[in-house]
Amino acid sequence: MVDAYQGEITHLRIRRFAAGTALATLAASVTLLAAPGPAQALDSVVLPVTSHWQTLADSRHVYVSAPGQGAVVATDHDGEVIKTVEGLDGARGMTLAADESRLYVALPDADAIAEIDTTTLIETRRFPTGTDTEPENLALVGGRLWFSYQATVVYGGIGSVTVAEATPAVELDDDPVWYAKPRLASSPGAPDRLVAADSEGSLGMRVYDVESGSAEEIAYTEAVGSVNDLAVTPDGRSVITARGGTYYHQRWALSDLAEEAPYDTGAYPNAVSIAQNGTVAVGLDASSGWDIFIYRPGEVTPFRTIALPNGSMDLLRRGVAWAPDGSRLFGTRFPHSGEVILDIITDVHKANSDIALTAPETRPHGQPVTVSGNLTSLLPFPQGKVVTVTRFNEPIATVDVEPDGSFLFTDLPLDYMRYVEYVVTYAGDDTHAPGRATTTVEIID
């Protein structure tokens, strides 16, 4: 049974292997072998919804809100659907109670917020937020559930619900300043701080002190806006934003919103998630190349980069979520028609295996081609490592890698070959993900 609070509402301030049979002459020891395995440990699951707003995870579940179906899909960490919670009108932003016992879901089509028991996955309470408020984003901090909503025809505002009280009270913003319903974020490391950022076509991000129950602005910047996603670090010192208009993810000091060293990721940032140990995962709306970048706490060089399968399925906004202990990472994609895809990445502890190749642009016909390379990582490799060399999808040899990461091979292309593509791969190991690089040499007369 769902309890709908009918009390008074007040106002307050506020992604690879490149035909022919070949013999190779190598400058290092070689053996013939088969093609290597997949690029990362990843499972993909089709979910029973065709829309998405946010992906969120706790210690047992992954939650995907689907506004088009008015539902939240709950899966286990292996992607098995446990239940689709229906009747959630326009389900959008979500947040969890600190003990993970309750999930809160914004219901803009019902002008309300739903509370769901995370054990039974049954809606237990519903908090009306006022006619035409259309709540959208949520954050639980300072003993209150904060929500962004449509305060006037022009402005968005920030309200709150005292969900911990026997008779919850809803308070609305008496001085709305947002040009759209802002994104919200908080962290246990800053228990009295609420962060809000403009979400659509305008600039502005603010930090509020909410210890008193009201939202008192203590920091402001106009250096960011149109934010797709944001998250506060577990230590409460920084906030990370994903803004589609930049080619990097931005990081800001929570104390005064001074910009800190950014994450140089690429075009169209759209997602941020931070594990309890401070490991950062950020996502891009990238039709090709890397979709997700992972950073160890305090670092701005990616520890790991991940290309999700099928480049035609873009990572969704707010579509990255950590298991709280950092053991798994979840991503959601949409194939432009059909159901949402949930990706489960289980080898997130492994570092990148980066391969750089050096080869001549051209080589005279009948002469051998020599390619050199380097295999590097933020973690040391085991001894006796080798890389695989293929030509036009046929594996031709393995090449020993020197202790300093360098390797070299020489190949004599067949007479009919004009543009010769070499693919070099490292199969990965206990602490490294597989790596791959390609180079093409033109054979000239």
Side-chain angles (χ1 to χ4, degrees), residues 200-218:
E200 295 179 13
S202 57
L203 299 176
M205 181 164 62
R206 293 172 170 86
V207 178
Y208 296 98
D209 184 336
V210 297
E211 183 177 12
S212 67
S214 295
E216 301 295 334
E217 181 182 317
I218 59 172

Side-chain angles (χ1 to χ4, degrees), residues 141-174:
V141 63
R144 291 172 176 252
L145 177 63
W146 298 85
F147 61 93
S148 63
Y149 71 100
Q150 196 65 46
T152 70
V153 174
V154 177
Y155 293 108
I158 300 174
S160 69
V161 187
T162 55
V163 292
E165 295 182 359
T167 305
V170 176
E171 297 184 345
L172 298 179
D173 196 338
D174 66 357

Side-chain angles (χ1 to χ4, degrees), residues 75-101:
T75 78
D76 64 16
H77 283 190
D78 294 321
E80 181 177 351
V81 175
I82 300 172
K83 185 176 181 178
T84 300
V85 185
E86 299 178 323
L88 303 175
D89 311 66
R92 294 205 173 188
M94 300 179 291
T95 195
L96 285 155
D99 63 1
E100 300 185 353
S101 64

